Amino acid sequence: MTTQQLHTHLTKLFPKEQVFTDELYRLTKGTDAGLYRLVPKAVVKVNSEDEVIRLLQFCNKENVPVTFKAAGTSLSGQTISDSILMEIGQGFEFSAITDNGKTATFGVGLTGTAANRMLQRYRRKLGPKPASINSAKIGGIVSNNASGASYGIRYNSYNTVKSMRIIFANGTLLDTSDKASCESFLKSHPALVEQIGKLHREATENESVKSRISEKFRLKNTCGYGVNSLVDFSDPIQIIQHLMIGAEGTLGFISQVTFETVHDAPLKATAMLYFANLRDVCEAIIPLRSCSVSAAELMDRNALRAVEEQAGMPPELKSLPENAAALLIDTSADDTETLLAQMREIETKLAHIQTLIPIQFTTDKYLYNLYWNVRNGLFTSAAAARPKNTLSIIEDVAFRAEVLPDALTDLRQLLVDSGYADAVMWGHLLDGNVHFTVSADINSTEGVNRYAAFMHTLADLVTRKHDGSLKAEHGTGRNMAPFVEQEWGTEIYGLMKRIKSAFDPQRILNPGVIINDDKDVFIKNLKNIPSANPVIDKCIECGFCEVNCPSKNLTLTPRQRIVAYRYLTELTDRKSREKWASAMSYEFNETCATDGLCAVACPVQIDTGKLVKELRWTENGKFANSIASGIAKNMAPVTSMIRGLLGVPHAIAKTVGYNSMESVTKGLYKAGDGVFPLWTRHTPSGSRKIARNIFPADSSDAPMVVYFPSCITRSMGGPSFGYAETEDVPMKMLSVLRKAGYTVIIPEEKDKLCCGMAFSSKGFRKQAQQKENELNEALLKASRDGELPIVCDMSPCLLHMRETLDSRLKLYDQVEFIHDFLLDRLTLEKQPVSVAIHTTCSSTKIHLEEKLYNIATRCAEKVIVPEEVRCCGWAGDRGFFYPELNNSALEQLKHGIGDATEGYSNSRTCEIGLSINSGVAYKSVVYLVDKCATARKGDLEGEATERNSIVNPKS
């Protein structure tokens, strides 16, 4: 069927907003982390089992191939399609924890990290722990039999899945936990059950086949189907369930999974060990297997070189010898005594092995997370260093411990001989599982041929010389499909082909993956990654960024924006470029929050928002620049005007009712088509003018602080609907600082000051720099060239100030300053209230999550941090003009706040969107602190004077 024909059929079966057939969405949604590019004819987002059944029945009837995609972090080409791509929607993000966390059921749309976050309170976790766990979803983890750093043979999906719900190619649903469902399935599918029985008998009655399967699965192995199911089980339902694990969506769709979880000890320690060469590090396997070790991660010299420049890395990395290798060891326990004993045991067992530096464990949480974040990002860090116009390809093999030293030596030599001497090697040493990258030039016939020759030699080395696994955990996909028969032999490969035919006789489920007769499929449809812009050229389209993106369920993700932009740069004629640029404008530019959280999730810190802002800069014409310059030069009258205007709609609403007022403002917003901002009851009222620059404490030796009230809080920092207080943010900030006994200095000419972020985010670079320079000069003067600390009441502004102003300035966000300087100077009375808190994007970047939580717990009996809520999507003023971005980003908020009756954060604009989407008034955290804090004796009179002086210059 053509794309147009599919669109006609599919829009009769699904709501139009769930069917994507335009060129932009087919290209961007069709992308995954692998090395291949196929563009689907249609993408269908499904949110329920009924919708999956409806789609599969259509595909089965019309003989149309379909491929399933969850997060798209797969690396071997198993989640791409040139037919229909079925995308897992938010309807599959559900969970149920049972038996005190020992078992847990998850929808396949949840990420592994989200699942583990829910299990954390029970000290439980999932067995599988792939490096992509922050982004990878349950569906992909199970369908690829992912394992990761955890001891994979024992705790992979195959060994920890208790039950699942499966939808087969003809739309039949099987719940393996439900006796009635199983009995019904056995009766309604006699042909499949009969084939499963025959396959089981052939695998178990033939001793050579049985022993070969058992022997191969002592190693991690995801090459081909999990034929160990035929040997390990006799019940056809259990065989079917376990064949689904690692089948990469070629046998059916898994809609939910129940896991038997594993214990997650709360105390953890890690150590980085350095060895002279790969052979020496391999000697640690056998001793470590007898210790209480959670993981032992190998990194060769090239891997260490790829990360040695990253912040926080041990300085010794740069001085290691050329052939050195490292081992990152992890151990955990429930109590300190046990943890120390385990650390000593590891040190003792490894004492006979020569290391370059003595073993040294750390329990420091920051260092622990840093080491593991670097390890988890090794692939992308290595890929980012690839030569221009090459494709970074990751391979994934495993060897038995007794041959591992020779195998790794041979593998390294093969890489050198094949022209891939810069390849990075790392892996899970306990399993003999090694990953490595090669940077292949796919733009030339010579480069493709060299990669093809390498793959054939690699297959011989792994399967014939060392009897290893060609794929240990990344799945077969298209990448290794031509070599499955070589690893398993004709007889067992024949069983795999019959498995595919039994489950999917029409070959409509992910065709070409795992079973493929095309011996050259691994070098076809290779993904071209052009040099498009230095900001994004390092991107390998891994998708790690997507989980943080506020527009991911509305338009595009950072990965998808990069794919769209790369395509734009490859278009040669002007008309095509203009057409594509126009087609992607709303998705690429207008709904990008430019919050930078994509860089936080990206192992190589790619901030797609910087690219968007760069394009905004190029698109800003003379008229737009003149308006921006006018505002920048007249900041004082502009903020004064805003202060006055913001009170008007609230005054009217109090007369006619907020519902009536919002009906009018929504009408104006729609009629204006982007001209008028959307006003709601949660839009702030105007702030009061701050008349003085100095607010002295009663004591002459009181500490001093410079307070910079941002232009936002100076103009629109007042209360809105749901506030019990009448004071604005600056008044509350001054109150808290005065209660703590501080003398407060406000910069001179404060009314004209602005950090420049509002201009920068819209691409007005010249105006942004003007405001940055003005503020820099004012703060240096007020702080005595950086001697005094400076606190700002808007976290986004504070982050921008840190990025652009003089490094001598000691700049603090309100949360940071309250936590680090004020808590010990205040008497706080905890309130009997349940509150929700929100960590803004800027606060996340400067790691204020714990400090905000600590402040809230000092002030409120119950503190709720809504799960799966990241960036609010308000994005400066974007929420006024594109409220759909804010609504989409905070779709889970109302459910997430639970029984909270108050909300707190540290950005006045973010608090607007949080209030709208939660139904609870969100305020600056200074309101909470001020409510709980008691002024010191003698300060009450000063506080009253200070309040009057804000609005009365004569006081």
Side-chain angles (χ1 to χ4, degrees):
M1 282 191 187
T2 66
T3 292
Q4 185 55 50
Q5 288 171 329
L6 282 173
H7 178 83
T8 301
H9 285 287
L10 293 172
T11 50
K12 291 177 182 177
L13 297 171
F14 300 94
K16 288 184 179 180
E17 61 269 18
Q18 291 177 224
V19 178
F20 304 88
T21 53
D22 62 288
E23 192 176 6
L24 173 65
Y25 278 104
R26 289 191 294 113
L27 172 68
T28 57
K29 286 181 174 290
T31 296
D32 75 356
L35 60 156
Y36 306 101
R37 175 93 69 207
L38 291 176
V39 179
K41 292 178 181 176
V43 179
V44 180
K45 179 177 282 190
V46 292
N47 288 301
S48 67
E49 289 180 338
D50 286 344
E51 291 184 344
V52 175
I53 292 169
R54 198 182 312 153
L55 180 60
L56 289 182
Q57 286 176 341
F58 165 78
C59 292
N60 190 59
K61 178 183 177 183
E62 301 294 337
N63 201 30
V64 176
V66 59
T67 295
F68 313 131
K69 179 183 177 183
T73 56
S74 299
L75 296 164
S76 302
Q78 56 265 63
T79 55
I80 57 174
S81 172
D82 56 5
S83 181
I84 293 179
L85 185 69
M86 189 184 88
E87 183 179 78
I88 310 308
Q90 291 171 273
F92 288 95
E93 297 177 8
F94 56 84
S95 62
I97 313 298
T98 48
D99 194 17
N100 204 31
K102 291 181 180 178
T103 56
T105 300
F106 299 110
V108 292
L110 276 177
T111 65
T113 292
N116 280 338
R117 198 178 294 123
M118 297 174 198
L119 291 167
Q120 193 172 24
R121 72 193 68 172
Y122 305 100
R123 292 191 177 180
R124 309 292 294 182
K125 63 181 179 179
L126 297 178
K129 188 187 176 184
S132 58
I133 193 167
N134 289 342
S135 301
K137 297 183 178 180
I138 296 297
I141 289 172
V142 174
S143 293
N144 288 284
N145 194 18
S147 47
S150 299
Y151 198 6
I153 301 171
R154 188 186 311 165
Y155 295 131
N156 60 9
S157 297
Y158 183 89
N159 287 310
T160 58
V161 167
K162 184 178 182 182
S163 65
M164 62 175 64
R165 288 172 69 89
I166 308 165
I167 302 174
F168 293 87
N170 63 0
T172 302
L173 173 65
L174 168 65
D175 184 345
T176 65
S177 69
D178 183 81
K179 184 178 179 181
S181 178
C182 293
E183 290 175 350
S184 175
F185 184 84
L186 293 173
K187 289 177 183 177
S188 62
H189 290 74
L192 174 58
V193 174
E194 182 182 0
Q195 280 297 314
I196 293 295
K198 285 183 179 179
L199 290 164
H200 166 68
R201 289 190 294 274
E202 290 179 32
T204 54
E205 293 172 4
N206 184 324
E207 278 302 320
S208 65
V209 170
K210 180 180 179 181
S211 62
R212 181 60 176 161
I213 290 173
S214 298
E215 181 184 355
K216 288 287 290 178
F217 279 100
R218 290 193 184 98
L219 269 180
K220 286 169 85 169
N221 193 309
T222 59
C223 186
Y225 287 118
V227 288
N228 50 336
S229 309
L230 303 175
V231 173
D232 295 341
F233 303 97
S234 57
D235 177 8
I237 297 296
Q238 285 299 313
I239 293 175
I240 288 170
Q241 173 173 296
H242 285 82
L243 280 172
M244 291 295 299
I245 299 169
E248 302 173 31
T250 63
L251 304 181
F253 174 73
I254 303 168
S255 63
Q256 77 172 42
V257 183
T258 299
F259 290 92
E260 292 178 339
T261 63
V262 300
H263 179 59
D264 184 21
L267 302 182
K268 305 178 192 299
T270 192
M272 188 84 84
L273 281 61
Y274 304 103
F275 300 83
N277 52 58
L278 286 171
R279 281 189 175 275
D280 288 352
V281 76
C282 291
E283 290 184 27
I285 295 180
I286 302 302
L288 283 176
R289 283 183 176 174
S290 65
C291 299
S292 297
V293 175
S294 311
E297 298 295 283
L298 166 72
M299 290 172 275
D300 77 348
R301 186 67 187 92
N302 284 349
L304 298 172
R305 192 175 289 113
V307 299
E308 64 186 20
E309 297 294 339
Q310 293 189 18
M313 285 293 93
E316 61 266 21
L317 291 188
K318 297 180 182 179
S319 60
L320 292 173
E322 184 57 33
N323 296 318
L327 192 63
L328 182 62
I329 297 176
D330 185 271
T331 185
S332 58
D334 290 315
D335 58 82
T336 303
E337 185 178 350
T338 303
L339 185 66
L340 292 172
Q342 290 172 185
M343 291 158 60
R344 287 193 296 268
E345 181 190 26
I346 293 168
E347 291 169 353
T348 301
K349 292 285 181 69
L350 297 182
H352 68 286
I353 302 175
Q354 183 68 40
T355 57
L356 297 177
I357 297 173
I359 300 173
Q360 187 172 0
F361 277 95
T362 180
T363 56
D364 180 84
K365 188 176 180 181
Y366 174 78
L367 282 177
Y368 181 94
N369 289 331
L370 177 67
Y371 288 165
W372 279 100
N373 285 339
V374 167
R375 160 59 193 91
N376 290 340
L378 260 179
F379 171 43
T380 45
S381 297
R386 71 190 184 279
K388 282 188 176 182
N389 301 315
T390 61
L391 181 65
S392 186
I393 301 172
I394 183 171
E395 299 297 346
D396 165 45
V397 297
F399 303 102
R400 289 172 286 115
E402 53 267 31
V403 304
L404 189 60
D406 290 335
L408 292 190
T409 303
D410 290 346
L411 179 55
R412 170 52 68 190
Q413 190 60 49
L414 171 61
L415 290 165
V416 173
D417 294 344
S418 301
Y420 302 127
D422 59 348
V424 170
M425 188 185 297
W426 72 98
H428 318 302
L429 196 71
L430 290 176
D431 300 315
N433 177 198
V434 179
H435 309 314
F436 60 92
T437 62
V438 296
S439 298
D441 176 12
I442 64 163
N443 298 308
S444 68
T445 303
E446 180 186 356
V448 173
N449 289 340
R450 182 171 65 162
Y451 172 64
F454 166 76
M455 287 294 290
H456 283 288
T457 309
L458 174 69
D460 289 342
L461 186 151
V462 174
T463 63
R464 290 174 179 156
K465 184 172 183 180
H466 295 297
D467 195 21
S469 304
L470 281 169
K471 283 293 180 182
E473 60 180 2
H474 290 170
T476 306
R478 289 169 167 78
N479 178 236
M480 206 55 74
F483 305 99
V484 176
E485 185 173 6
Q486 177 174 327
E487 173 166 341
W488 284 98
T490 302
E491 192 168 12
I492 296 177
Y493 184 64
L495 296 179
M496 294 183 182
K497 294 178 78 172
R498 287 165 57 193
I499 288 169
K500 173 64 174 175
S501 296
F503 278 79
D504 181 24
Q506 292 180 249
R507 301 288 178 112
I508 63 169
L509 300 179
N510 211 1
V513 168
I514 297 182
I515 304 297
N516 197 314
D517 294 331
D518 184 352
K519 298 303 180 184
D520 291 327
V521 68
F522 74 105
I523 52 172
K524 292 182 177 178
N525 300 304
L526 290 168
K527 183 189 292 182
N528 179 39
I529 298 186
S531 295
N533 187 294
V535 173
I536 60 168
D537 282 345
K538 291 181 179 181
C539 176
I540 60 165
E541 300 174 10
C542 68
F544 285 14
C545 56
E546 294 188 329
V547 69
N548 277 354
C549 182
S551 64
K552 63 179 181 289
N553 295 318
L554 177 66
T555 52
L556 300 181
T557 67
R559 167 168 64 176
Q560 292 167 347
R561 287 187 171 93
I562 289 172
V563 170
Y565 184 76
R566 282 173 167 167
Y567 182 77
L568 174 68
T569 62
E570 289 187 288
L571 296 173
T572 54
D573 65 288
R574 184 175 58 84
K575 284 187 177 180
S576 295
R577 286 175 62 89
E578 289 177 352
K579 181 181 177 183
W580 186 257
S582 175
M584 72 180 204
S585 177
Y586 174 76
E587 288 84 356
F588 181 88
N589 180 358
E590 293 166 24
T591 54
C592 178
T594 64
D595 59 17
L597 283 188
C598 45
V600 173
C602 175
V604 291
Q605 294 85 48
I606 296 171
D607 184 353
T608 313
K610 286 185 178 179
L611 174 65
V612 174
K613 286 189 277 189
E614 185 175 303
L615 296 183
R616 290 174 183 171
W617 172 66
T618 62
E619 292 172 0
N620 287 333
K622 289 184 178 180
F623 179 72
N625 270 285
S626 65
I627 295 294
S629 295
I631 294 172
K633 292 175 182 176
N634 297 280
M635 185 62 69
V638 168
T639 53
S640 177
M641 180 181 68
I642 293 172
R643 278 199 302 269
L645 288 176
L646 284 174
V648 175
H650 282 286
I652 297 172
K654 288 174 182 176
T655 302
V656 303
Y658 274 98
N659 290 339
S660 298
M661 188 63 191
E662 284 184 334
S663 296
V664 172
T665 56
K666 283 178 184 177
L668 286 172
Y669 166 75
K670 290 179 181 178
D673 193 25
V675 175
F676 302 114
L678 178 63
W679 182 93
T680 72
R681 66 188 67 199
H682 296 291
T683 303
S685 57
S687 304
R688 300 182 184 183
K689 182 178 175 63
I690 304 173
R692 289 168 50 190
N693 294 330
I694 297 179
F695 297 86
D698 289 345
S699 173
S700 58
D701 61 349
M704 303 176 73
V705 63
V706 176
Y707 167 38
F708 170 57
S710 68
C711 62
I712 293 293
T713 56
R714 294 198 313 271
S715 58
M716 50 187 295
S720 59
F721 182 84
Y723 276 55
E725 302 86 350
T726 58
E727 300 93 342
D728 54 39
V729 174
M731 287 182 70
K732 285 294 185 182
M733 191 75 212
L734 286 166
S735 174
V736 169
L737 291 170
R738 294 294 306 283
K739 285 179 180 180
Y742 272 81
T743 289
V744 183
I745 300 170
I746 294 180
E748 295 177 3
E749 297 187 285
K750 56 187 172 299
D751 293 328
K752 77 169 190 178
L753 297 177
C754 167
C755 70
M757 185 193 66
F759 298 97
S760 174
S761 65
K762 291 178 173 57
F764 295 110
R765 294 179 177 177
K766 177 184 174 182
Q767 297 83 353
Q769 189 171 25
Q770 174 191 336
K771 303 312 292 183
E772 290 159 9
N773 291 340
E774 289 174 359
L775 180 60
N776 192 64
E777 183 179 341
L779 291 181
L780 281 172
K781 182 178 180 181
S783 68
R784 302 171 185 170
D785 288 333
E787 178 184 339
L788 300 178
I790 301 164
V791 61
C792 179
D793 54 18
M794 280 279 292
S795 63
C797 300
L798 182 279
L799 177 61
H800 187 76
M801 290 158 62
R802 283 190 176 178
E803 293 170 342
T804 58
L805 302 190
D806 195 307
S807 59
R808 289 175 292 171
L809 297 172
K810 300 169 187 174
L811 301 166
Y812 296 91
D813 172 76
Q814 56 181 296
V815 168
E816 193 173 20
F817 195 80
I818 290 170
H819 183 277
D820 294 355
F821 295 93
L822 304 190
L823 288 183
D824 290 340
R825 301 176 64 88
L826 294 168
T827 302
L828 298 174
E829 183 179 352
K830 186 174 286 192
Q831 303 293 302
V833 65
S834 175
V835 305
I837 58 172
H838 176 76
T839 304
T840 62
C841 308
S842 44
S843 298
T844 298
K845 291 179 188 177
I846 54 178
H847 312 294
L848 295 184
E849 302 96 319
E850 287 191 17
K851 291 184 178 181
L852 177 59
Y853 183 80
N854 289 341
I855 292 171
T857 55
R858 291 279 297 270
C859 296
E861 290 287 350
K862 183 178 180 181
V863 178
I864 298 170
V865 183
E867 294 179 352
E868 301 307 302
V869 175
R870 294 176 177 85
C871 174
C872 71
W874 195 265
D877 66 353
R878 202 148 289 259
F880 289 121
F881 297 95
Y882 301 97
E884 65 272 25
L885 175 61
N886 173 244
N887 297 338
S888 179
L890 296 181
E891 190 173 356
Q892 305 295 323
L893 180 62
K894 195 160 191 174
H895 172 74
I897 64 170
D899 63 352
T901 55
E902 301 174 12
Y904 294 96
S905 189
N906 55 341
S907 167
R908 188 64 188 94
T909 49
C910 297
E911 289 150 18
I912 303 170
L914 292 164
S915 301
I916 291 170
N917 287 280
S918 67
V920 168
Y922 270 76
K923 312 168 190 176
S924 167
V925 71
V926 296
Y927 281 86
L928 178 62
V929 175
D930 187 60
K931 180 165 61 173
C932 300
T934 303
R936 290 183 176 182
K937 186 177 180 181
D939 282 350
L940 293 174
E941 182 179 346
E943 183 186 347
T945 302
E946 167 260 309
R947 289 177 185 271
N948 290 332
S949 66
I950 290 179
V951 293
N952 183 1
K954 296 180 181 180
S955 63

